[in-house]
Amino acid sequence: MNKVLSNKKAIVFFMLPAVLFFLLVILMPVLMSFYYSTLNWDGMGSGTFIGFQNYKKLFVGNVDNFPLSVRNSFLFLLASVFIQIPISLLLAIILSNGVKGENFFRNVYFVPVVLSTVVIGQLWMKIYHPDYGLLNTFLRSIGLSSWAHGWLGDQNTALIATFIPTLWQYTGYHMLLLYAAIKSINPEIFEAAKIDGANRTKIAFRVTIPMILPMLEVSLIFSVIGSLKVFDLVYVLTNGGPAQASEVPSTLMVRTIFMGYQYGYGSAMAVFIIAECVLFTFVVRKIFRALQRD
């Protein structure tokens, strides 16, 4: 192995396919999007170079509520970090303690992850339906008829109504990542903690969580990036409505490019989404590096 690692030609040979794949599939589209974002272009013919005017248009004199969509994506982010990840961690810790039916619950929680987003969207549209939806039927059955309404059609509830299915879909995914990390810890460490008199809560906070910080970091980064670029469920459930109450940058970008034929301006939105994903990933990594040093 040392001989292979010392051979620079062999390293270049084996790394070349991955580097080419990265350049062509990931870096090249990003660079092309950045180039398009500097153009006033409707997608036909050649565009006109306008520098950073499209980026200025995102926040200065904006008329399409892009700042509102960014705010909504940040609310998704906060809800994912402070609701989705804690629930996933709690479920992972409970299941890893060897509860009865551990394998069953592990598979059940993961089922929403493998379902099509369109199917999940249709399922929750039925749940939220103002006439025969399960949610309104339940509220009426317990005497809360005044609370029953069209959840996806109300500007006050549309955003949270789109977040709940997202939380439901991906909680099992993060739970499985964290569950696998907990299971990889040497059981003798837990036994030693129990002998020292630590209860389950202390073991969770003093042993389990510190030892799975690397996986917790990965899970958090996935959750943050997923929140900032959320699209599919919002598109299926509300398409950003009503009156852009549940609009997120991705749905606005698609509408701007493919319906408004503003390819340059839409590309600026795409670059903004990429930039904020990179920025927040960097911040999360810095925070976890500091935690792991402590």
Side-chain angles (χ1 to χ4, degrees), residues 4 76-77 222 236 283 294:
V4 174
F76 264 90
L77 186 153
F222 285 168
V236 173
V283 171
D294 295 339

Side-chain angles (χ1 to χ4, degrees), residues 25-249:
V25 178
I26 298 177
L27 190 59
M28 186 64 73
V30 173
L31 293 176
M32 289 177 66
S33 294
F34 178 74
Y35 169 68
Y36 293 144
S37 71
T38 60
L39 303 177
N40 181 15
W41 186 38
D42 61 2
M44 302 291 288
S46 58
T48 305
F49 180 77
I50 57 173
F52 293 98
Q53 287 300 315
N54 284 327
Y55 292 96
K56 183 180 178 182
K57 186 178 172 184
L58 291 175
F59 296 101
V60 180
N62 182 272
V63 295
D64 57 12
N65 280 332
F66 182 75
L68 172 66
S69 70
V70 174
R71 190 210 66 171
N72 289 342
S73 69
F74 284 167
L75 292 176
F76 264 90
L77 186 153
L78 292 175
S80 297
V81 171
F82 294 106
I83 298 177
Q84 189 178 56
I85 295 299
I87 291 176
S88 302
L89 179 60
L90 179 63
L91 291 174
I93 291 175
I94 292 174
L95 284 183
S96 62
N97 282 332
V99 298
K100 189 176 181 180
E102 178 180 341
N103 291 333
F104 170 77
F105 287 112
R106 187 182 60 204
N107 293 327
V108 165
Y109 289 135
F110 194 72
V111 166
V113 181
V114 300
L115 291 178
S116 164
T117 301
V118 176
V119 172
I120 291 176
Q122 290 294 324
L123 172 68
W124 281 89
M125 286 175 76
K126 301 294 185 297
I127 292 174
Y128 288 136
H129 196 280
D131 296 326
Y132 58 79
L134 284 178
L135 181 56
N136 284 343
T137 302
F138 171 73
L139 291 174
R140 293 187 185 104
S141 68
I142 61 174
L144 296 175
S145 300
S146 60
W147 289 18
H149 67 288
W151 297 88
L152 295 172
D154 188 329
Q155 293 185 40
N156 296 318
T157 57
L159 185 62
I160 191 170
T162 55
F163 170 70
I164 291 174
T166 308
L167 183 149
W168 177 78
Q169 183 180 15
Y170 290 107
T171 294
Y173 175 74
H174 296 292
M175 184 275 295
L176 197 63
L177 290 178
L178 299 172
Y179 171 85
I182 295 172
K183 281 297 187 181
S184 67
I185 300 174
N186 189 340
E188 292 180 358
I189 296 176
F190 294 118
E191 292 299 327
K194 290 177 183 176
I195 293 172
D196 289 340
N199 56 30
R200 289 188 174 183
T201 305
K202 282 187 177 179
I203 291 175
F205 283 99
R206 302 284 180 82
V207 178
T208 306
I209 294 177
M211 295 196 72
I212 63 168
L213 277 180
M215 184 55 76
L216 199 55
E217 176 187 351
V218 171
S219 188
L220 198 60
I221 288 174
F222 285 168
S223 181
V224 168
I225 293 176
S227 302
L228 295 175
K229 65 181 185 63
V230 62
F231 170 74
D232 40 14
L233 262 176
V234 176
Y235 185 79
V236 173
L237 288 170
T238 64
N239 194 17
Q244 294 189 295
S246 61
E247 192 82 87
V248 291

